Amino acid sequence: MRKHSLDRWLLTAILVVLLSSSSSFATKKKAAKKKNSKEVTYDGTSLIIDGKRELLYSGSIHYPRSTPEMWPHIIKRAKQGGLNTIQTYVFWNMHEPEQGKFNFSGRADLVKFIKLIQKNGMYVTLRLGPFIQAEWTHGGLPYWLREVPGIFFRTDNTPFKEHTERYVRMILDKMKEENLFASQGGPIILGQIENEYSAVQRAYKQDGLNYIKWASKLVDSMNLGIPWVMCKQNDAPDPMINACNGRHCGDTFPGPNKENKPSLWTENWTTQFRVFGDPPTQRSVEDIAFSVARFFSKNGSHVNYYMYHGGTNFGRTSAHYVTTRYYDDAPLDEYGLEREPKYGHLKHLHSALNLCKKPLLWGQPHTEKPGKDTEIRYYEQPGTKSCAAFLANNNTEAAETIKFRGKDYVIAPRSISILPDCKTVVYNTAQIVSQHTSRNFMKAKKSNKKFDFKVFTETLPSKLEGDSYIPVELYGLTKDKTDYGWYTTSFKVHEKHLPKNKGDKTLVRIASLGHALHVWLNGEYLGNGHGSHDEKSFVFQKPVTLKAGENHLIMLGVLTGFPDSGSYMEHRYTGPRSVSIMGLSSGTLDLTENSKWGNKVGMEGERLEIHTKEGSRKVKWEKFSGKAPGLTWYQTYFDAPESQSAAAIRMSGMGKGLIWVNGEGVGRYWMSFLSPLGQPTQVEYHIPRSFLKPKHNVLLIFEEEPNVKPELIDFVIVNRDTVCSFVGENYTPSVRHWTRKQDQVQAITSNVSLTATLKCSGTRKIAAVEFASFGNPTGACGNFTRGTCHVPVSKQVVEKHCLGKAECVIPVNKSTFQQDKEDSCKNVVKTLAVQVKCGRGKK
């Protein structure tokens, strides 16, 4: 008995100690969180975080558009590019694809993404929606919302507000549970509710204004300890901060609607998103840098680059006609590689603005207009030497000289020079001293062995059951489960009504609201038609041979995503709307409302999920003979491309369809929709490394069009091993030479001189100098050409400085290249253009 009593006493004592330790640990954890908590407020100058005003450089990176394996690299590169904040939308239709069924795993793991940002010491702006646009299908709204009785999106509508409030509270509660708000010690410092609502507000009149006020009160009532913004919403109700979206908010933004609110720029578009059928589009980094410098010179304190990394619209997630590749011309390209000089030049801009931080945040603004095209904006803190100036030249053709405080400054055409001490130029928006790169797609050696394709072709549906007297609307038919919807009907033609005269033809005419269409008559494929992002409606018209008696018409309606913008999205329609047979002696036969239409949703291969290992066993595959009809599935195996560089598949020889690798949806491709330049808008399609195994990967393609050539497909490795520099001898030396100590801007090095820097990525080293010219060369990285002025020893000088090195620095001056020889073109302002090739260094 004594032994048992002693045992009980010991157990009790141990339990008391454990509970005490647990309580102590929990208390310490709470205390640590309280200690790390940051109050976020604002005034008319900036956001105030933990009592300190801040300049915020933010970049949009959307977690579903890359893989969790890519996130650490992308976030790290963003921080190294000078960002201190990451902005992301929250994608409702990814998190709740079916009502009440939630997904926060894989690419939808929002919490993991935000914690990675926090781990890198950066802030987060969370853009909740509920509508996000973002060139994402349905603007982020789940399809099932369309079927809620009596619903109208984004207005003072009870069903929409009820579902929105439930969603918003669910997301914000999840963030709160994970202690992710700044008030809890987390990284979220700013939230956004709704998105560019002013674009549709007038359509809803008073209900629109009521809705905006309701959305504002909803998030404000949750007391999460962060400010909230509404972008492109100049009448944003208090305490919401109205923010700007656009390319030149320094000129277009009317400013905050209250004096106590800061000037925030929520979207500075780094390029233009692409749609199928588009030619290439770009936005120069000089223009972006100019716009940011101008915004900060006019009391701006926050800029967000939309996008900083665009990524990939995997699977069927893109909005209508939007390419699978998204914002590839951003500072970090689709593969997460640094797109130079956009990445480096903006990094230098952030460094220059940081040197101006104290006067920008605490100084008093002043403006001078010395000339028609010139402007001086400077900030000076009374009683101190703290001063920063922005000298602007708006002349797009010629340099201008600005006299400021007794000194002349030559400012390049359409540019701004930044003087963080009102004396020293450390940066000019038009003069790029960072390196340039050119992207290469190298054919993979391991992956491109002869492909052994097997095929499975869909069977055309016979007369389908249906009781509709008009073709069913395509969004409602597919319910965002597939891109494909079938329509069948039959009609009788009396022999006496068929054309009798030679040359007379009958026509099938189909008017469609979009997006694409395939047509068969009596089992014969007639062809296809499609609209475009700007003109979704189109007419398919083709001569046909009818037979006396019953004829069978089959149409396949094809979606390229749901719409992502505009008012009354829940009432947006698409698909075939009018079908008629023309050329009969009895007149036009209207099949739209005089025939019964049968319908079927999707492909048999989709229903059987043949993109999965299990599903692929459910169909009979046949060896590809070199030719196949449309609506054919192609399957083959391949080994992963060598190295760990980014990988892609080049869809040469194909038409239009969908791609899977090992069951993962790579995205939609559309090679047959050519731009005005006669080229497909997108040829290469990103395959993340996390999708791949070392060997025996399954490639599955669903191809809509007949007679394609899958043997022309190949796999490529993506790199930016072509590195360049293009620096003029009159450029401002790199901002990296400077630092700020108290109120003084000081040189870090004893010799502040202009240089060209070339750096290979990873373990690579400079293996070859492919081009070098000190003179007046022209062109761009990957395509330089000598000009009329060229120093013959240019290449030898560069080789001496660079060959075999991971990084090299070349002085840009005459003495480096002229080497005491007479200048043969004295009146030419020289530029150094260099192109090198990086290769693997030996271990």
Side-chain angles (χ1 to χ4, degrees):
M1 290 295 289
R2 286 180 183 176
K3 184 178 183 300
H4 290 305
S5 297
L6 184 61
D7 288 346
R8 280 197 296 270
W9 182 86
L10 284 171
L11 282 169
T12 303
I14 290 167
L15 186 60
V16 168
V17 170
L18 286 172
L19 287 170
S20 175
S21 299
S22 175
S23 176
S24 173
F25 175 75
T27 304
K28 286 178 181 176
K29 197 173 179 183
K30 280 184 181 179
K33 282 175 187 171
K34 194 172 182 181
K35 186 179 178 182
N36 293 329
S37 68
K38 296 178 178 68
E39 182 186 31
V40 185
T41 58
Y42 58 83
D43 62 14
T45 299
S46 73
L47 291 185
I48 301 170
I49 304 171
D50 205 20
K52 298 177 183 177
R53 287 179 176 165
E54 292 285 357
L55 296 180
L56 297 172
Y57 317 110
S58 173
S60 288
I61 300 172
H62 296 161
Y63 53 100
R65 284 176 158 142
S66 53
T67 63
E69 292 78 9
M70 294 172 68
W71 293 344
H73 167 84
I74 293 167
I75 294 166
K76 183 180 177 182
R77 288 287 179 270
K79 184 174 184 180
Q80 290 172 342
L83 301 191
N84 53 19
T85 308
I86 300 294
Q87 181 199 88
T88 185
Y89 281 122
V90 183
F91 297 74
W92 187 356
N93 56 8
M94 188 165 199
H95 293 303
E96 194 180 7
E98 295 181 41
Q99 188 173 356
K101 295 181 180 179
F102 300 102
N103 173 28
F104 287 94
S105 61
R107 294 198 305 276
D109 196 340
L110 174 60
V111 169
K112 181 178 180 178
F113 181 70
I114 293 176
K115 286 184 174 179
L116 278 170
I117 297 170
Q118 182 179 24
K119 188 178 177 181
N120 279 270
M122 303 174 77
Y123 299 125
V124 172
T125 298
L126 200 65
R127 307 178 85 186
L128 269 181
F131 167 82
I132 62 172
Q133 188 164 340
E135 293 71 58
W136 186 267
T137 190
H138 217 211
L141 298 173
Y143 172 80
W144 55 262
L145 267 183
R146 291 173 70 102
E147 299 192 341
V148 172
I151 200 164
F152 288 87
F153 294 170
R154 305 177 70 201
T155 186
D156 190 10
N157 171 263
T158 299
F160 183 73
K161 290 193 299 183
E162 285 176 351
H163 285 288
T164 294
E165 181 169 356
R166 179 187 54 79
Y167 157 73
V168 166
R169 289 189 181 278
M170 182 267 294
I171 293 293
L172 295 179
D173 285 346
K174 194 173 189 66
M175 300 299 101
K176 196 172 181 179
E177 286 167 13
E178 297 288 343
N179 299 300
L180 293 177
F181 291 105
S183 56
Q184 302 171 291
I188 301 174
I189 59 166
L190 192 64
Q192 178 182 304
I193 187 70
E194 253 300 331
N195 191 66
E196 297 187 344
Y197 190 73
S198 62
V200 299
Q201 185 171 336
R202 290 179 67 183
Y204 299 110
K205 301 179 182 177
Q206 185 61 40
D207 284 346
L209 183 59
N210 294 343
Y211 169 68
I212 279 297
K213 289 178 178 177
W214 171 83
S216 169
K217 287 177 183 177
L218 172 63
V219 292
D220 188 49
S221 68
M222 296 184 70
N223 299 314
L224 296 168
I226 61 168
W228 288 86
V229 300
M230 286 183 169
C231 64
K232 289 184 81 170
Q233 191 68 37
N234 292 332
D235 62 350
D238 290 336
M240 302 292 109
I241 302 169
N242 59 303
C244 184
N245 288 1
R247 288 174 180 253
H248 296 285
C249 283
D251 294 309
T252 60
F253 185 42
N257 58 24
K258 290 286 176 65
E259 288 184 0
N260 67 329
K261 297 178 183 180
S263 289
L264 308 181
W265 192 350
T266 37
E267 288 188 19
N268 184 354
W269 304 322
T270 56
T271 184
Q272 175 66 37
F273 71 88
R274 305 279 299 282
V275 296
F276 287 112
D278 266 358
T281 54
Q282 293 181 335
R283 185 184 178 195
S284 74
V285 69
E286 295 95 328
D287 186 56
I288 299 171
F290 181 93
S291 71
V292 175
R294 184 152 182 79
F295 186 69
F296 276 75
S297 77
K298 297 176 77 171
N299 203 40
S301 59
H302 167 285
V303 64
N304 177 73
Y305 300 104
Y306 190 97
M307 302 286 296
Y308 197 77
H309 164 70
T312 307
N313 291 314
F314 295 111
R316 298 171 42 256
T317 56
S318 61
H320 51 192
Y321 295 98
V322 174
T323 56
T324 298
R325 174 181 288 161
Y326 189 62
Y327 268 83
D328 183 45
D329 197 44
L332 296 176
D333 70 12
E334 179 184 16
Y335 306 94
L337 303 176
E338 296 161 17
R339 180 179 286 279
E340 299 282 16
K342 194 167 279 189
Y343 178 87
H345 194 49
L346 294 178
K347 178 180 180 177
H348 289 171
L349 171 62
H350 305 145
S351 297
L353 290 171
N354 280 336
L355 291 174
C356 305
K357 187 173 181 180
K358 190 174 179 182
L360 282 176
L361 294 176
W362 297 101
Q364 293 181 356
H366 304 270
T367 305
E368 296 177 10
K369 196 88 169 72
K372 180 173 68 78
D373 295 316
T374 55
E375 186 179 63
I376 301 168
R377 290 182 176 269
Y378 65 99
Y379 291 77
E380 201 163 25
Q381 192 174 1
T384 73
K385 294 180 181 179
S386 180
C387 184
F390 298 78
L391 310 186
N393 174 15
N394 293 308
N395 187 329
T396 59
E397 301 295 330
E400 296 277 358
T401 299
I402 296 177
K403 195 175 192 68
F404 178 59
R405 297 196 169 184
K407 187 177 177 181
D408 288 339
Y409 296 88
V410 179
I411 313 299
R414 197 177 181 274
S415 73
I416 296 175
S417 285
I418 299 176
L419 293 65
D421 59 356
C422 287
K423 294 182 292 186
T424 310
V425 177
V426 301
Y427 181 88
N428 179 273
T429 59
Q431 296 176 345
I432 300 171
V433 294
S434 59
Q435 70 180 20
H436 303 230
T437 59
S438 178
R439 188 166 62 191
N440 305 304
F441 294 96
M442 313 296 293
K443 194 164 182 174
K445 295 175 183 175
K446 287 186 178 179
S447 308
N448 291 302
K449 296 167 185 175
K450 189 176 180 182
F451 299 125
D452 182 21
F453 278 105
K454 297 176 186 175
V455 295
F456 166 70
T457 300
E458 293 280 336
T459 303
L460 290 179
S462 54
K463 191 174 180 181
L464 296 169
E465 292 298 319
D467 56 4
S468 173
Y469 283 90
I470 58 171
V472 177
E473 194 279 316
L474 191 53
Y475 292 136
L477 177 64
T478 61
K479 302 185 188 301
D480 201 23
K481 301 292 185 185
T482 174
D483 283 350
Y484 304 106
W486 292 97
Y487 301 82
T488 66
T489 194
S490 298
F491 58 96
K492 291 182 178 179
V493 178
H494 198 283
E495 188 173 1
K496 67 181 181 181
H497 294 146
L498 293 172
K500 298 290 190 297
N501 299 324
K502 189 178 180 181
D504 287 350
K505 297 280 188 181
T506 50
L507 296 165
V508 60
R509 187 180 190 277
I510 304 167
S512 175
L513 297 177
H515 302 157
L517 185 74
H518 295 269
V519 185
W520 295 260
L521 181 67
N522 296 328
E524 180 188 352
Y525 182 59
L526 299 184
N528 62 75
H530 62 81
S532 67
H533 184 266
D534 294 337
E535 294 289 341
K536 295 163 190 66
S537 298
F538 63 96
V539 174
F540 175 90
Q541 188 166 285
K542 189 128 185 189
V544 292
T545 301
L546 299 177
K547 60 183 182 181
E550 192 168 60
N551 292 264
H552 302 280
L553 179 69
I554 300 173
M555 302 185 297
L556 177 65
V558 182
L559 295 176
T560 58
F562 273 56
D564 67 331
S565 61
S567 55
Y568 298 102
M569 278 176 53
E570 73 288 340
H571 288 95
R572 207 72 59 80
Y573 302 127
T574 196
R577 303 307 294 162
S578 169
V579 185
S580 56
I581 304 296
M582 305 171 73
L584 297 172
S585 62
S586 56
T588 298
L589 176 60
D590 185 357
L591 301 181
T592 311
E593 297 184 13
N594 295 315
S595 297
K596 231 178 185 180
W597 291 92
N599 298 106
K600 180 184 173 185
V601 178
M603 297 291 149
E604 184 67 7
E606 290 178 300
R607 187 184 70 80
L608 297 174
E609 298 183 327
I610 65 173
H611 63 280
T612 67
K613 189 175 181 179
E614 298 76 16
S616 68
R617 299 192 186 107
K618 297 177 182 177
V619 299
K620 184 180 179 182
W621 295 94
E622 297 179 356
K623 188 174 179 60
F624 177 53
S625 63
K627 193 173 182 180
L631 309 187
T632 292
W633 299 81
Y634 295 81
Q635 185 194 73
T636 192
Y637 293 86
F638 67 99
D639 293 341
E642 59 273 15
S643 84
Q644 284 303 306
S645 298
I649 182 171
R650 195 155 43 191
M651 296 300 288
S652 305
M654 302 302 283
K656 180 182 181 300
L658 294 155
I659 309 166
W660 290 262
V661 170
N662 293 329
E664 298 281 357
V666 170
R668 298 183 179 101
Y669 69 91
W670 201 346
M671 299 290 290
S672 58
F673 191 171
L674 303 182
S675 78
L677 301 178
Q679 298 294 324
T681 303
Q682 181 177 348
V683 175
E684 302 87 10
Y685 292 80
H686 180 207
I687 305 174
R689 283 285 173 175
S690 58
F691 286 13
L692 297 170
K693 305 178 294 185
K695 292 182 177 295
H696 210 62
N697 296 280
V698 184
L699 170 66
L700 183 69
I701 299 167
F702 177 65
E703 172 59 59
E704 296 176 23
E705 299 179 7
N707 304 322
V708 295
K709 297 179 178 179
E711 65 273 13
L712 299 181
I713 288 171
D714 61 356
F715 293 91
V716 292
I717 296 168
V718 190
N719 66 48
R720 288 190 176 271
D721 287 346
T722 302
V723 180
C724 305
S725 187
F726 192 82
V727 179
E729 64 177 340
N730 60 343
Y731 282 13
T732 300
S734 173
V735 67
R736 292 180 297 175
H737 289 292
W738 303 96
T739 187
R740 190 180 194 97
K741 290 186 178 178
Q742 296 177 342
D743 289 338
Q744 300 294 317
V745 173
Q746 299 178 3
I748 296 171
T749 58
S750 57
N751 179 26
V752 178
S753 59
L754 181 63
T755 58
T757 302
L758 301 165
K759 185 179 180 181
C760 297
S761 63
T763 59
R764 294 171 175 82
K765 293 184 179 180
I766 296 170
V769 177
E770 297 179 327
F771 181 92
S773 177
F774 185 68
N776 60 350
T778 58
C781 190
N783 190 31
F784 285 129
T785 305
R786 282 185 191 176
T788 55
C789 176
H790 169 71
V791 176
V793 296
S794 298
K795 190 171 183 181
Q796 293 96 301
V797 171
V798 173
E799 286 177 337
K800 184 178 178 181
H801 278 85
C802 297
L803 275 181
K805 297 178 181 178
E807 181 177 5
C808 67
V809 179
I810 310 160
V812 181
N813 53 54
K814 289 184 176 70
S815 60
T816 302
F817 291 90
Q818 302 291 159
Q819 300 174 346
D820 298 327
K821 293 182 180 178
E822 187 178 349
D823 189 347
S824 59
C825 35
K826 291 180 181 178
N827 296 326
V828 175
V829 177
K830 311 292 190 300
T831 296
L832 174 63
V834 177
Q835 179 174 312
V836 303
K837 194 72 175 177
C838 296
R840 288 284 179 189
K842 293 181 180 178
K843 290 186 180 180

